[in-house]
């Protein structure tokens, strides 16, 4: 905290993060924004990026996407890979800026080529779905592989989807299960749910309905609606759990909340 009191921008960025996540201090999103602002005004790219994200999401401050994008641009100009990746998402979705898929790809490419795993994943999705570029499944797989190699869970999960479907790569059900498991270990809920489906349907792994239900429960307890729905189906039909219509209905109610 001494560094922040002396107006050292990197220290203010670090202290802001501590307050944002409650690391070593009581969580205080408003105070986090205060420190990020001081650091950002002092020119620190991390503070600028984090402040931009706070304005995008309304964390510790009133949501203001335009203001958020402005700070992200400042951070990206200084080389912040996270800011570039976030800007890619802003241009893809038209958040705080006019929607522009080509600019989305430009920002994602800049960050991806410098090894930033989330950008590599998002760029892979762009190539997979023809967002801002011509659809190219092989290039998509290449970027997803690079991201997954850095253990980025979303990339692991999407790559597993592709391996299951033989999309852009040869079908490999066993490797798909392995990737789902790796992503599930990081609590990436879509992968947790998909892993459950693999066990329920014996896709790339030996059928294990009890394990499937455990996966659905793990996702369901954290509010993931597909997991809640799949768990409800298990209780309706006694798949891996003792049949209970009441419990099934309870999970379905949570899924539609």
């Amino acid at each position: 905290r001494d560094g922040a009191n002396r107006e050292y921008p990197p220290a203010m960025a670090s202290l802001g993060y501590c307050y944002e996540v409650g690391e070593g201090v009581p969580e205080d999103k408003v105070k986090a924004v205060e420190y990020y602002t001081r650091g950002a005004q002092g020119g620190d790219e991390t503070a600028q990026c984090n402040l931009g994200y706070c304005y995008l999401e309304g964390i510790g401050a009133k949501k203001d996407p335009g203001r958020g994008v402005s700070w992200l641009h400042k951070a990206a100009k200084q080389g912040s890979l996270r800011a570039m990746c976030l800007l890619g998402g802003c241009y893809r979705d038209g958040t705080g800026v006019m929607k522009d898929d080509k600019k989305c790809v430009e920002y994602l490419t800049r960050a991806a080529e410098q090894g930033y795993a989330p950008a590599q994943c998002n760029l892979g999705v762009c190539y997979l779905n023809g967002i801002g570029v011509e659809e190219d499944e092989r290039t998509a797989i290449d970027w997803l592989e690079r991201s997954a190699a850095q253990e980025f869970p979303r990339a692991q999960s999407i790559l597993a989807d592709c391996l299951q479907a033989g999309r852009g790569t040869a079908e490999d059900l066993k490797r798909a299960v392995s990737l789902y498991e790796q992503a599930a270990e990081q609590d990436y809920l879509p992968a947790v749910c998909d892993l459950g489906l693999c066990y329920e349907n014996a896709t790339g792994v030996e059928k294990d309905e009890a394990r499937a239900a455990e996966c659905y429960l793990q996702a369901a307890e954290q509010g993931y609606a597909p997991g809640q729905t799949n768990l409800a189906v298990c209780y309706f039909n006694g798949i891996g759990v003792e049949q209970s219509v009441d419990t099934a209905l309870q999970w379905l109610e949570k899924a539609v909340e």
Side-chain angles (χ1 to χ4, degrees), residues 73 87-94 97-100 103-104 107:
H73 275 298
L87 282 170
C90 290
Y91 279 107
R92 179 194 61 217
D93 301 331
V97 289
M98 290 292 290
K99 181 177 172 65
D100 188 329
K103 275 194 176 180
C104 159
Y107 275 107

Side-chain angles (χ1 to χ4, degrees), residues 23-191:
E23 186 175 294
V25 293
E27 184 179 301
D28 188 331
K29 308 289 191 188
V30 173
K31 190 169 283 189
V33 168
E34 291 174 2
Y35 279 109
Y36 286 150
T37 300
R38 289 164 62 186
Q41 290 173 341
D44 183 77
E45 69 178 63
T46 300
Q48 292 171 340
C49 178
N50 292 357
L51 181 60
Y53 183 74
C54 286
Y55 279 119
L56 282 182
E57 299 296 327
I59 298 170
K62 184 178 179 180
K63 184 179 286 192
D64 187 340
R67 195 172 185 181
V69 166
S70 177
W71 281 114
L72 291 177
H73 275 298
K74 292 178 189 296
K77 284 179 181 178
Q78 294 199 75
S80 169
L81 301 183
R82 183 185 182 219
M84 294 176 201
C85 186
L86 289 170
L87 282 170
C90 290
Y91 279 107
R92 179 194 61 217
D93 301 331
T95 302
V97 289
M98 290 292 290
K99 181 177 172 65
D100 188 329
D101 288 340
K102 288 189 176 180
K103 275 194 176 180
C104 159
V105 170
E106 288 174 9
Y107 275 107
L108 292 178
T109 301
R110 284 172 58 190
E113 289 178 342
Q114 295 179 71
Y116 190 60
Q120 292 173 332
C121 176
N122 293 353
L123 184 59
V125 172
C126 287
Y127 277 103
L128 202 59
N129 298 309
I131 299 171
V133 289
E134 186 174 342
E135 185 176 310
D136 185 337
E137 292 181 350
R138 291 197 174 189
T139 299
I141 294 298
D142 179 61
W143 283 115
L144 290 170
E145 288 279 13
R146 295 189 199 190
S147 182
Q150 297 190 65
E151 301 183 352
F152 187 61
R154 181 170 182 250
Q156 292 170 328
S157 184
I158 296 171
L159 182 57
D161 294 342
C162 293
L163 288 164
Q164 272 197 347
R167 187 177 181 190
T169 185
E171 181 184 283
D172 189 337
L173 300 182
K174 289 186 177 180
R175 187 177 176 222
V177 170
S178 176
L179 286 165
Y180 284 138
E181 288 176 337
Q182 292 172 51
E185 286 173 2
Q186 298 182 67
D187 222 20
Y188 184 68
L189 300 183

